[in-house]
Amino acid sequence: MINMRYFCSMFENQERTEIDQLGEFALIEHLTAKFQLENEGIIVPLGDDAAVFKSDENTVYSTDMLVEGIHFDLSYVPLKHLGYKAAVVNISDIAAMNARCRYLSLNIAISNRFSAEALEEFYAGFSLACERYKVTLIGGDTSASQSGMVISVSAIGYADEKRIARRNSAKENDLLIVSGDLGGAFMGLQVLEREKAVFVDNPEIQPDLEGNDYILERQLKPEARVDIVEMLEELGVVPTSMIDISDGLASECHHIAKQSEVGIAIYEEKIPIDPMTHSRARDFELDPTTCALNGGEDYELLFTVKQEDWDKIKGNPNMTAIGHITDKNSGLQLITQSGNSHPIEAQGWNHFSSEDEG
Ligand code: ADP
Ligand code: MG
């Protein structure tokens, strides 16, 4: 699925149209031409001084920035995937409020090392996510950059007030649930970093990504769990708190614990880990549980529900109960198979330190 011709793909484009050749206005027109810009809520679409859209529900807003060299490495991230991911991470933030994303805006700064074709790839990925998640692009801005690529996306969504799920409202004895499986995106990144190191040492050697499709997709083409938001509504469950897993399970648990003023107990054997993540972690001599706890970018939803809602959720293959909420003084504890308790430290991703702690 992940095609290796993408390695350093942006420098291998056969056609190359300089951005100055097109001019800013033609460029924007060209890039946004393939988007569905109108929908029933839009009064004035992208292209004017500002967009106008109707909103008669509670408006949910979020914004995120992706910086080259900090959040992504273009030597192995295909621009199309990056465009897709830039949209998805914002759609995921809206989903994490138990809300639905409707609109996105996209700001982008690029240096002249990017051709119009490279940008087109990025926009193709972004537009694919817009179609897939039924989200409309309502605006953006374009600027030159002296060095790397900077992407900033803002998302607007809607939520029924009674269904909004915050980080600060988990209560003692609530169950802790996670969607999907964890640690895959992190193991995908390890494989890509390993192959990059091999490639840098000897560009003649073709990167070996065989047999890693699932974890590479988890890293390069994550999905936002809007399906979970819909399922919870159908099941008649309002989570008592919710967050999306961008920095790792441990870090997100710390956010919920701190803001809700509670403790959390997680059972190690319950943490869902895909067999491929597990075996690749072993190959890299990493502990699979640590990868699930501290590896980020899975974009799964982590939420709490009242015990009485468990019957509605149990048996659903998309959701796993991994622990429960305890009192504040108990802190964050990982309970191992043998029944021992270990405090969980939040590592997350510290972009400001020179060494990655993750
Ligand atoms: P202004 O000078 O008023 O900011 P722009 O020329 O920057 O106008 O933008 C014109 C229109 O194109 C606006 O509707 C804006 O939202 C949209 N736009 C500009 N850049 C982008 C971009 N990179 N992606 C999507 N839409 C964009
Ligand atoms: Mg502008």
Side-chain angles (χ1 to χ4, degrees), residues 24-25 28 32 46-49 106 108 123 137-142:
E24 184 188 340
F25 301 128
I28 296 165
T32 55
L46 180 153
D48 217 304
D49 295 305
L106 168 59
I108 189 164
Y123 271 76
L137 181 65
I138 53 168
D141 203 13
T142 322

Side-chain angles (χ1 to χ4, degrees), residues 183-210:
F186 175 75
M187 284 320 303
L189 183 64
Q190 300 316 298
V191 170
L192 287 166
E193 290 279 358
R194 179 191 68 194
E195 292 311 312
K196 181 189 174 186
V198 172
F199 183 82
V200 167
D201 267 0
N202 185 354
E204 297 301 307
I205 299 178
Q206 272 301 302
D208 177 16
L209 299 168
E210 276 289 303

Side-chain angles (χ1 to χ4, degrees), residues 197-241:
V198 172
F199 183 82
V200 167
D201 267 0
N202 185 354
E204 297 301 307
I205 299 178
Q206 272 301 302
D208 177 16
L209 299 168
E210 276 289 303
N212 291 304
D213 282 2
Y214 179 66
I215 57 175
L216 291 172
E217 290 245 343
R218 294 291 282 166
Q219 170 58 224
L220 295 173
K221 192 171 173 284
E223 302 291 351
R225 298 308 304 259
V226 295
D227 57 328
I228 298 290
V229 172
E230 278 159 20
M231 262 180 243
L232 288 171
E233 185 163 18
E234 281 161 23
L235 293 167
V237 175
V238 180
T240 54
S241 71

